[in-house]
Amino acid sequence: QVQLVESGGGLVQPGGSLRLSCAASEGTFVNYAVGWFRQSPGKEREFVAGISRLGSATNYEDSVQGRFAISRDNAKKTVYLQMNSLNSEDTAVYYCAADLAYRESLSSDKYRYWGQGTQVTVSS
């Protein structure tokens, strides 16, 4: 088992930025691929960004491409999601997820471990 804790969410104005963090308790965090997902009321949970276990490959949902950046620091056992140019459609609860895999997946079903989520609200 790996424990995941998200942080960094909050209220931000349109056009603003936030950086989310996902901290893991697992000592062999390098063995986990990690994805960020988000869910808003009335919508299915959707993939946002993912990163391979060594950080050499990343993947993004089309609507966040060029605005968001995922990265990881395996020494700190942390994955980050830098979010820029935020708009109201980015409002959601953001979750990080991890699994023992080489590459990130776009499907939430592929991830075994999940954090509790952090709320991001974009509003003027």
Side-chain angles (χ1 to χ4, degrees), residues 12-14 23 25 38-39 41 55 57 61 64 70-72 81 90 93 103 111:
V12 64
Q13 294 185 354
S25 63
R38 65 186 180 187
Q39 187 168 29
E61 193 272 328
V64 308
I70 187 171
S71 61
R72 68 189 295 163
L81 183 67
D90 296 316
V93 177
R103 295 288 303 275
Y111 293 90

Side-chain angles (χ1 to χ4, degrees), residues 52-103:
S52 61
R53 68 181 193 176
L54 296 179
S56 58
T58 58
N59 204 355
Y60 297 93
E61 193 272 328
D62 288 343
S63 69
V64 308
Q65 180 73 45
R67 298 191 298 120
F68 291 9
I70 187 171
S71 61
R72 68 189 295 163
D73 186 336
N74 287 332
K76 296 182 178 180
K77 303 175 184 178
T78 302
V79 171
Y80 305 97
L81 183 67
Q82 178 66 47
M83 305 186 296
N84 301 319
S85 301
L86 288 163
N87 59 66
S88 61
E89 294 187 356
D90 296 316
T91 295
V93 177
Y94 284 71
Y95 301 87
C96 67
D99 201 16
L100 290 168
Y102 292 99
R103 295 288 303 275

